[in-house]
Amino acid sequence: MAALGTLVVYRTVFAALGCLMVGTLVYTCITDGSPFRAELLTPWMVTTLIDFYVNMAAISTWVVYKEGNWISSIFWVVLLICLGSATTCAYIVSKLFEITSSGLSQNPLDLLLLRQDNLPERKCSFVVIGRTIFSILGILMAALVTYTVITDGLPFRKDLLTPWMAATLIDFYINIFAISVWVVHRESTWISAVIWICLLICFGSITTCGYIVVQLLQVSYQDPVYHLLLNSHSKYGIAPLQKI
């Protein structure tokens, strides 16, 4: 019953966040016009968008892993690029509704995070590639934030908070929330989870990349992909046939 209640809560929360994001986009389009205007691309808006899409790269990586075939993967990744966190929420909710009551002997988040087929898990290559890509993305993002602070000042200015910047920040932090759910699930203590979430809120995709790299450094080349996604209790207590 507890697992079923948790599943319902996740469905409700992500559905509500998705609706909030769609409503925000519609409202901002009506009140402030199209976002495709050159005057909106201030230095901090550009930095925020890049920050946003680095997080989207992390989420898209999970989606590609989760889907298992290229057609559906490309479909969802394109939607993520175009619609941002509204797609993130829609994807998560759709996968949560695929979890049936018969599968609730496991943690619903385990079932959400894992792929739903019996294809063999990749091992060595994903660790090396993941460490490299997310290290580079994290360093580039840190350099970009530093450059923007030096050339355009701090971002905590009222003139920067245009309607589309506000909408972008809401979009950004809904994705941060989704990533934070994984972080809480992955971490073994609440203290470490809270620390990482605070860093995610403050530093965005720099922390996302840093966290992923740290977790990849703890994964052996011989470990399957799902060892990166699950906490220590789940990953050593789960059998391959239980992942569907």
Side-chain angles (χ1 to χ4, degrees), residues 9 23 35 39 45 49 51 64 109-110 117 122 137 159 189 194 219:
V9 169
E39 64 266 24
M45 174 61 96
L49 287 172
D51 203 6
V64 171
L109 278 181
D110 291 345
D117 54 46
R122 294 183 179 182
L137 287 175
D159 60 290
T189 69
V194 169
V219 175

Side-chain angles (χ1 to χ4, degrees), residues 38-55:
E39 64 266 24
L40 294 176
L41 293 178
T42 63
W44 273 111
M45 174 61 96
V46 172
T47 300
T48 303
L49 287 172
I50 295 172
D51 203 6
F52 173 84
Y53 280 109
V54 171
N55 275 335

Side-chain angles (χ1 to χ4, degrees), residues 62 65-67 91 95 98 106-117 121 225-230 234-235 238-240 242-244:
W62 168 63
Y65 158 78
K66 175 84 172 168
E67 285 303 296
Y91 183 79
K95 295 306 173 184
E98 291 178 4
Q106 293 176 232
N107 188 313
L109 278 181
D110 291 345
L111 298 171
L112 171 65
L113 291 168
L114 296 177
R115 68 193 310 168
Q116 298 181 348
D117 54 46
E121 296 277 353
V225 176
Y226 68 81
H227 278 209
L228 174 65
L229 298 172
L230 306 181
S234 298
K235 70 184 180 184
I238 193 168
Q242 290 178 296
K243 294 186 291 177
I244 57 176

